[in-house]
Amino acid sequence: MSREQFSLSVALVVQGAFNDGILHNFAEKTGFEPVIEWAPTTVIIEAIKAGKRPDGVIITNEALAGLVEQKIVASDALTPLVVSKVGLGVLKGTEHPDISTVDAFKNALLNARSVAYSLGGQSGLYFGPLLERLGIADAVNASATRIPSGFTAEKLQTGEADIAVQQISELLAIKGTEIVGTFPEAIEKVTSFSGAPLVESPRKNQVEAFLAFLRLQTSVERFIKYGLEPQ
């Protein structure tokens, strides 16, 4: 049986939860099938600036506010979804470094063989400047494994890094990753993500139905499983 499709550009932060039943359950229940292009919010925004027009987006609240200003998204069409925190992950079964204080966090990064982080995602955009603020950028970056986008925890699996930095949900999207914890409270980064259809989309109803589905308890439970908190 063919399903009616609609397109979404979606931040990587929810990929683990989506693949863990959310997409399948929505398609089975409604007969609509989201066709998703996964990318960091920054990449999604650049594509929209270049003229790309998916039916809907799930990105950071800050980026959505920019689309509202440009009248690409209507202000009354936003659906709050999840709140995400940045943390550290290690390969399952390996030692968890102490990151309970800022000093301990710094030592963990300095003592790592290689720290993997993304240059394009929200976590990397925060983490790079944070290293500068902490005064350890040169030392950490000398052996860091930096990727343009994607899942940093994959570098744990390949042995290229022994610590991965990213949104908790993105770390958990890669099997075999254990969460050490979020950043210490004094330097933690909390990011909110919401969704919306684009104003000119002919499939706004399908996008809105999907966003409503994401706020149901069954979907919320999937998000929580991947370290995301409902807004």
Side-chain angles (χ1 to χ4, degrees):
M1 175 180 170
S2 62
R3 294 186 171 120
E4 185 175 347
Q5 295 183 331
F6 59 98
S7 62
L8 291 172
S9 293
V10 182
L12 292 167
V13 69
V14 295
Q15 186 169 355
F18 272 29
N19 290 343
D20 191 17
I22 287 179
L23 293 176
H24 173 78
N25 292 346
F26 176 76
E28 287 292 308
K29 181 178 180 180
T30 65
F32 299 144
E33 181 181 3
V35 177
I36 296 180
E37 183 170 344
W38 298 102
T41 290
T42 51
V43 174
I44 293 170
I45 292 300
E46 285 303 313
I48 288 175
K49 284 181 181 176
K52 187 178 181 67
R53 290 295 182 268
D55 293 309
V57 293
I58 296 174
I59 53 178
T60 66
N61 286 7
E62 183 180 6
L64 265 176
L67 296 184
V68 170
E69 288 180 7
Q70 299 167 56
K71 303 189 185 305
I72 294 172
V73 164
S75 59
D76 60 356
L78 309 184
T79 299
L81 295 174
V82 296
V83 173
S84 177
K85 295 181 179 180
V86 180
L88 269 61
V90 296
L91 197 62
K92 184 177 181 178
T94 60
E95 183 178 355
H96 288 210
D98 177 15
I99 59 169
S100 58
T101 66
V102 173
D103 284 342
F105 178 83
K106 289 168 61 175
N107 287 335
L109 298 177
L110 290 168
N111 292 331
R113 177 173 50 82
S114 180
V115 177
Y117 68 95
S118 169
L119 298 173
Q122 292 300 307
S123 59
L125 293 174
Y126 175 72
F127 185 65
L130 175 64
L131 292 177
E132 297 282 355
R133 281 168 41 202
L134 296 176
I136 59 174
D138 289 344
V140 172
N141 285 330
S143 60
T145 302
R146 291 176 284 186
I147 62 175
S149 62
F151 295 108
T152 61
E154 290 178 344
K155 300 304 179 182
L156 302 176
Q157 302 292 330
T158 62
E160 295 171 73
D162 51 350
I163 287 180
V165 174
Q166 208 158 32
Q167 308 277 355
I168 295 293
S169 61
E170 293 172 343
L171 295 172
L172 288 173
I174 303 302
K175 290 184 178 179
T177 304
E178 290 183 347
I179 302 302
V180 177
T182 57
F183 287 11
E185 186 176 352
I187 56 171
E188 178 57 283
K189 171 67 172 174
V190 180
T191 307
S192 298
F193 292 81
S194 297
L198 270 60
V199 168
E200 60 192 57
S201 169
R203 302 178 183 86
K204 281 190 279 190
N205 289 344
Q206 290 93 323
V207 175
E208 289 169 352
F210 182 61
L211 295 174
F213 184 81
L214 296 181
R215 291 182 61 84
L216 298 179
Q217 185 60 32
T218 52
S219 298
V220 169
E221 288 170 359
R222 292 292 200 290
F223 288 136
I224 292 172
K225 178 181 175 181
Y226 283 85
L228 297 165
E229 301 170 11
Q231 280 197 63

